[in-house]
Amino acid sequence: MGFIFYFMVLFLSCISLELVYNLNNFLPLKKKLLFTKKRVFLFFFFISPIILTYTFRYSIGTDYFAYRTIFSDLHNVPITDYLRLHEKNIGSYYVETGFYVINRYLSFSYGSLLFVVSFLIFAFVYYGSIEVNENVNLAFVIFLYFCTQFIYSMNGVRFAIAITIIFFGVHFIIERKILGWVIIVLLASSFHKTSIICAPLYLCTNFDSRKFSKLRDFLWYAFVIAFPLIAKILLMIASNISMFSRYFAVGKYALGNFTFKPMFLFHIIPVFLPLFMVKKSFISKDKKALILFRLSLFEIPLRELGSFNTWLSRLARFPQMFQLLFIPYILQNVKNPKTRLLLKIYYIVWYIFYFIYGALVNDAGDSIPYISIFSNGGNW
């Protein structure tokens, strides 16, 4: 019964968006342009059940009360005091500057903080999607986000914001705007320091030099394959960098020995194999598809990090977000309607299963069943 509420919320939002998406496809150009101007309002109106689910939860998520404490500690603290205590890594003041700002200046209660967080998350998802693909099916994007990230976003609040900021910045990689990408990485890092690992992803763009592009591809694929051999060295280097030292100093983040665990392929093969079976040629030739594929490959080494420490596997959520762009874009370019429909049904079934698996296994049932603040007296 615990899943019924989540699926009702997802169904209500996605069906509404799907109807709007299909209606827009049949509108004349003049009306479509007018309709597009209203798309932002309609998008947030139709996903409001998801935003409200996030906002009005109570004791949902492992760190629910921890973030409540952080809000209480940060909300009335002047920025000068925060910066002084942040530098010393004291208590709740360890959190990054961006998260301090929304606690201090954009929220008046813990409930309002959750609303701000959910609004920011979906704003970055919305604009990140249409910047890469103007005609993207937003209903399918929200479905993919909900099934892969929503449960986790109620646990790792700062990290959830950070991965959507990186997601929003993908269009800077495609358009080869390095300054824009640098700003995005810094902004994401102001919510979670680990975002800095995404900086090299700019190299996944298409370059004018064919020789340089081929060399990049060779090195990138070699890095993905050989990652287990060099991962320990990279992690040891990271542990000596001050901005990451806090994580490695905590016992639960301690590094173990690498043991190959093929289970990480569970997150990779079912997602990408069907697309390659149907559109391999398109993926290898289309510039945008190829960039999105290169970016998505980053999930493989980051999944393998989980062999050293389970916590590190969360970093794979950065490239996993690119599925929200890659899958709809490839499906959009499948010409055969029956094949496209079969693929869409396959992904709907797969991601519903993935959502259930994530809620029960990864989240250990902390989000099931859903509990609202109204069952706790409505204290927002």
Side-chain angles (χ1 to χ4, degrees):
M1 291 293 291
F3 289 106
I4 294 178
F5 174 79
Y6 286 109
F7 286 132
M8 286 178 60
V9 169
L10 178 61
F11 179 82
L12 181 61
S13 294
C14 288
I15 288 297
S16 302
L17 284 172
E18 182 71 18
L19 291 173
V20 171
Y21 174 78
N22 289 327
L23 175 62
N24 193 39
N25 286 339
F26 288 104
L27 286 174
L29 180 60
K30 186 175 181 180
K31 290 185 178 180
K32 185 179 292 188
L33 292 173
L34 177 64
F35 190 80
T36 302
K37 295 176 183 178
K38 301 175 182 177
R39 186 165 56 175
V40 177
F41 169 78
L42 291 170
F43 174 79
F44 282 101
F45 177 77
F46 288 130
I47 68 163
S48 59
I50 300 177
I51 291 178
L52 295 178
T53 297
Y54 191 97
T55 301
F56 292 126
R57 60 192 168 98
Y58 176 77
S59 191
I60 296 293
T62 306
D63 293 333
Y64 177 87
F65 292 106
Y67 275 105
R68 196 166 195 161
T69 299
I70 289 172
F71 172 79
S72 298
D73 291 344
L74 297 183
H75 181 59
N76 294 312
V77 174
I79 190 168
T80 51
D81 292 343
Y82 159 76
L83 291 174
R84 175 173 52 81
L85 295 169
H86 175 72
E87 186 178 0
K88 296 178 181 178
N89 206 22
I90 296 175
S92 298
Y93 305 100
Y94 77 90
V95 300
E96 294 81 354
T97 308
F99 194 66
Y100 163 78
V101 168
I102 65 173
N103 276 266
R104 176 76 170 92
Y105 300 107
L106 301 182
S107 310
F108 58 86
S109 67
Y110 185 55
S112 66
L113 172 67
L114 296 181
F115 174 80
V116 170
V117 168
S118 60
F119 184 85
L120 285 175
I121 285 173
F122 286 105
F124 286 123
V125 169
Y126 172 80
Y127 285 106
S129 299
I130 64 172
E131 285 290 343
V132 171
N133 183 3
E134 175 67 23
N135 298 313
V136 68
N137 184 337
L138 288 168
F140 199 44
V141 169
I142 292 301
F143 171 78
L144 294 175
Y145 177 82
F146 191 94
C147 291
T148 58
Q149 308 296 338
F150 186 71
I151 291 292
Y152 178 79
S153 72
M154 295 191 288
N155 292 309
V157 176
R158 291 155 38 239
F159 193 76
I161 300 173
I163 63 174
T164 55
I165 294 174
I166 292 294
F167 173 82
F168 168 75
V170 168
H171 71 96
F172 289 120
I173 296 177
I174 294 173
E175 297 163 5
R176 296 198 298 183
K177 296 180 178 179
I178 189 169
L179 179 59
W181 179 245
V182 169
I183 292 172
I184 284 296
V185 172
L186 292 176
L187 178 61
S189 298
S190 75
F191 285 91
H192 209 279
K193 297 181 182 73
T194 55
S195 303
I196 199 70
I197 69 169
C198 295
L201 291 181
Y202 182 80
L203 295 174
C204 290
T205 192
N206 292 315
F207 296 101
D208 293 330
S209 172
R210 192 172 179 180
K211 289 183 178 179
F212 184 81
S213 293
K214 285 186 175 181
L215 176 62
R216 181 272 320 281
D217 287 344
F218 172 77
L219 293 175
W220 182 234
Y221 300 143
F223 170 78
V224 170
I225 295 170
F227 183 77
L229 301 176
I230 61 175
K232 189 77 172 182
I233 298 173
L234 295 176
L235 289 171
M236 293 302 293
I237 294 173
S239 67
N240 289 296
I241 298 175
S242 59
M243 69 183 300
F244 299 129
S245 59
R246 173 186 171 272
Y247 297 106
F248 292 97
V250 179
K252 67 178 180 179
Y253 303 142
L255 300 179
N257 295 318
F258 178 80
T259 304
F260 180 74
K261 298 177 181 178
M263 186 60 185
F264 81 89
L265 296 172
F266 163 82
H267 302 275
I268 309 294
I269 294 177
V271 173
F272 296 103
L273 184 60
L275 296 179
F276 270 88
M277 291 174 63
V278 175
K279 297 294 289 183
K280 179 180 178 181
S281 177
F282 175 79
I283 293 171
S284 62
K285 294 178 181 179
D286 184 84
K287 292 182 178 180
K288 187 182 294 184
L290 195 52
I291 291 174
L292 294 175
F293 172 66
R294 291 190 198 110
L295 291 170
S296 299
L297 274 183
F298 195 40
E299 184 173 354
I300 296 176
L302 294 184
R303 287 286 175 197
E304 291 178 307
L305 282 179
S307 297
F308 291 99
N309 184 293
T310 303
W311 179 87
L312 292 173
S313 62
R314 73 160 64 179
L315 299 177
R317 293 184 179 277
F318 282 113
Q320 187 182 42
M321 283 289 294
F322 304 146
Q323 295 175 16
L324 278 62
L325 299 172
F326 187 65
I327 296 173
Y329 182 66
I330 302 302
L331 291 183
Q332 186 178 310
N333 286 279
V334 174
K335 303 303 180 186
N336 188 309
K338 291 184 179 179
T339 303
R340 185 168 59 249
L341 178 61
L342 285 173
L343 281 171
K344 195 166 186 178
I345 292 173
Y346 165 79
Y347 280 112
I348 289 173
V349 172
W350 166 252
Y351 279 106
I352 287 176
F353 165 75
Y354 193 86
F355 174 83
I356 296 173
Y357 172 84
L360 291 180
V361 179
N362 291 345
D363 194 48
D366 285 347
S367 302
I368 305 296
Y370 180 81
I371 304 172
S372 76
I373 59 169
F374 302 110
S375 64
N376 189 50
N379 182 16
W380 204 44

